[in-house]
Amino acid sequence: MASIGLTVLIAGGGSLVDGVTSPSGAAVLDGRPGILAVVGTVAWLGAMVALRLKQRRLVAGALFVAAVAEGLRAHPAAESAVWGPVLTTVHLLAAAVWIGALVHVLRLGRAWRWASNARAVLRHYARLALALVLVVLLTGTLSGLLLLSWSELWDTSFGQVLVVKLSLVGAACGMALAARRRLAGSAPHLLARVEASALVAVLGVTALLSVTQPPRNVNAALPFAPPPSGNAITAGGRADQIGIAATASSGQVVVRLTAPDTDLSDNGGEARLSYEAGLTLTTPGGRTRALAIRGCGEGCFYARVTWRKGLNLLTVKAGAQGWGGGQDTLRVMWPVRPDAKLLQRVVKAMRAIDAFTLHELVASDIDRTRVAPTRLEVTGKQFIDSEPYAKGQAPLSSRFTDAEGNTVLALGFPGERLALELTLDDQERVVRETLVAPNHFIRRTFTYPEPQGQERDRHDHSGDAASVGR
């Protein structure tokens, strides 16, 4: 289930919800992390089926494949393409047999009420455990030396978590040694149970260690974009031919760049674009600083950032091989104020409009934003039905007030790399809309017919003014 969950997480670009509702096969199969997650999932499922069929060799083979997939994905593999996966795979297999055999022995002992035959099983396990402990300690030590130095063991968060893990492993080894010495005495199984508890704690700390970045790899690319931490707001822009969609949440920002779809390869195959990005933050107080960024997939960049209350300006410098780039400045209002119900009211208000005038400017680069917009006469229903928020829902929805005092609704669709800003009037109708899509930048302004009563009053006042003039 955990392996399936990881695959879904990658398919959703870091979001479990998007992975379930709108999964992306390209996100899974276009990168090493996704492929390894699929291999691991298939291996686990294969082991389960083989176990039901009582094919023990197939079970062992499938579990070995799953362990190799984990070894290829772990931190040491980034430091050594050969020894990293080998050390991690052997480490995982030895630890799995150590823990699994211990749990099995405890179950047998409980079923046999720790009679002489149960003690014999425990005695055989103790000899096996000694060899397994040595393998675990040796491979773990060598893997650690690949990732950090002795000084970094105490000065970095990765090293500190590793120290906690080593302490728990040491405690488990001490319990195993004590249980072995008391095999002939009373209740050796109590120490074995403490050993099992310590090993469960080791697994928990190992999970934390797997998501903690090693000091030598602190700026390495992430396999996929981290999900938003808490409430999030999306802002969009365009750097010449490159679309920009940024998702800002507590302590971080994820920027996704998209160049126009095209074939850049000479042989007619699909080519992967090489993107470049730079981020600069200007806080409401006027302080400007560059942000350290890390890749999180093709055209995806992640940075840690501390947002300040008010209007934060995020300047994105974007480039892509073969396409015109540049920079754009995005508005990030903080703190985020989620408001999903406002979007529902906006959709309802727009659908109720019989007809209005829409001025629309669609551009694929900066030069085309200078052309005259297109004038359209549409109904509210026609317009809403063509919008990505037609159902009154969006993955990210938040409101803020701009410098002119207008209510602005920011909508984000991270899976589609869409970002929208809707400026509303006092009747919760859209008066301006900015939509950033992967291949287009769209600006719209809305003109609504005045109510008949107001129009008649205006004509009456005009007539009075004309009479006074005469």
Side-chain angles (χ1 to χ4, degrees):
M1 291 301 298
S3 185
I4 292 174
L6 178 62
T7 305
V8 172
L9 190 68
I10 296 175
S15 170
L16 282 175
V17 176
D18 290 344
V20 174
T21 58
S22 56
S24 171
V28 175
L29 300 178
D30 284 354
R32 174 174 170 147
I35 294 175
L36 291 175
V38 172
V39 171
T41 300
V42 172
W44 287 115
L45 293 175
M48 186 172 64
V49 172
L51 190 63
R52 296 286 295 178
L53 298 176
K54 298 182 179 180
Q55 300 292 325
R56 295 183 179 274
R57 291 184 178 179
L58 292 179
V59 173
L63 295 181
F64 178 77
V65 171
V68 171
E70 293 296 330
L72 290 170
R73 186 168 56 224
H75 289 316
E79 299 297 333
S80 174
V82 177
W83 288 110
V86 171
L87 289 171
T88 304
T89 300
V90 175
H91 185 78
L92 289 175
L93 290 173
V97 176
W98 180 12
I99 299 172
L102 177 58
V103 172
H104 185 60
V105 167
L106 291 175
R107 291 182 62 192
L108 282 177
R110 183 175 182 180
W112 295 344
R113 299 184 181 277
W114 293 104
S116 59
N117 52 353
R119 290 174 178 268
V121 171
L122 186 58
R123 188 177 298 108
H124 285 294
Y125 164 74
R127 289 195 292 268
L128 173 65
L130 179 61
L132 293 173
V133 167
L134 294 177
V135 173
V136 168
L137 293 178
L138 178 61
T139 55
T141 300
L142 294 177
S143 297
L145 292 176
L146 283 177
L147 298 173
L148 75 173
S149 63
W150 288 108
S151 60
E152 293 169 332
L153 192 64
W154 307 99
D155 298 337
T156 64
S157 57
F158 184 88
Q160 292 165 2
V161 175
L162 184 58
V163 168
V164 174
K165 177 182 176 181
L166 292 175
S167 301
L168 291 172
V169 172
C173 293
M175 293 299 102
L177 182 61
R180 183 175 183 179
R181 289 181 176 179
R182 294 184 59 179
L183 281 175
S186 61
H189 57 284
L190 295 180
L191 289 174
R193 288 176 181 175
V194 176
E195 177 188 352
S197 300
L199 289 176
V200 170
V202 170
L203 287 178
V205 176
T206 301
L208 177 61
L209 196 65
S210 67
V211 295
T212 304
Q213 200 65 23
R216 297 184 186 178
N217 207 20
V218 69
N219 294 319
L222 300 170
F224 51 84
S229 56
N231 297 326
I233 184 172
T234 297
R238 196 157 193 87
D240 197 7
Q241 296 178 313
I242 302 174
I244 305 171
T247 302
S249 58
S250 179
Q252 67 178 43
V253 63
V254 175
V255 177
R256 294 176 172 87
L257 308 179
T258 311
D261 296 331
T262 188
D263 178 13
L264 296 179
S265 60
D266 297 331
N267 57 6
E270 192 69 23
R272 294 177 65 88
L273 287 177
S274 176
Y275 288 90
E276 297 178 352
L279 303 181
T280 304
L281 176 68
T282 302
T283 62
R287 298 184 61 182
T288 299
R289 64 184 182 90
L291 302 179
I293 62 174
R294 298 167 60 185
C296 50
E298 185 178 8
C300 179
F301 299 91
Y302 162 85
R304 296 181 61 86
V305 58
T306 300
W307 304 107
R308 301 299 181 185
K309 185 177 181 180
L311 177 61
N312 298 264
L313 299 178
L314 183 68
T315 300
V316 182
K317 185 176 181 180
Q321 181 183 4
W323 298 100
Q327 69 178 33
D328 197 5
T329 300
L330 314 181
R331 300 184 301 175
V332 179
M333 294 296 296
W334 200 262
V336 178
R337 294 182 173 86
D339 198 337
K341 293 184 178 180
L342 177 58
L343 178 58
Q344 297 174 3
R345 297 198 301 269
V346 169
V347 170
K348 182 178 180 181
M350 294 298 294
R351 286 189 181 276
I353 301 173
D354 292 333
F356 63 90
T357 302
L358 174 68
H359 293 85
E360 181 179 79
L361 176 62
V362 181
S364 58
D365 55 44
I366 294 301
D367 291 336
R368 294 176 186 171
T369 60
R370 301 184 180 93
V371 302
T374 302
R375 176 189 173 100
L376 302 170
E377 300 292 335
V378 297
T379 66
K381 184 177 183 304
Q382 289 174 335
F383 171 75
I384 288 297
D385 287 343
S386 65
E387 291 293 278
Y389 54 87
K391 295 182 179 179
Q393 298 176 348
L396 300 176
S397 177
S398 59
R399 64 181 298 171
F400 63 89
T401 303
D402 64 12
E404 300 173 354
N406 300 313
T407 298
V408 180
L409 187 59
L411 307 178
F413 298 81
E416 292 80 13
R417 303 197 178 193
L418 292 178
L420 298 95
E421 281 192 2
L422 311 180
T423 303
L424 311 177
D425 62 12
D426 55 1
Q427 301 179 47
E428 296 183 338
R429 301 177 302 184
V430 183
V431 293
R432 290 193 299 272
E433 179 186 89
T434 301
L435 186 152
V436 178
N439 296 325
H440 296 95
F441 181 78
I442 303 175
R443 287 176 177 166
R444 297 183 175 116
T445 58
F446 302 74
T447 304
Y448 301 102
E450 294 183 1
Q452 294 182 355
Q454 293 183 10
E455 187 175 356
R456 187 182 303 111
D457 291 342
R458 191 175 75 247
H459 285 306
D460 291 343
H461 288 306
S462 299
D464 292 344
S467 300
V468 171
R470 287 194 297 268

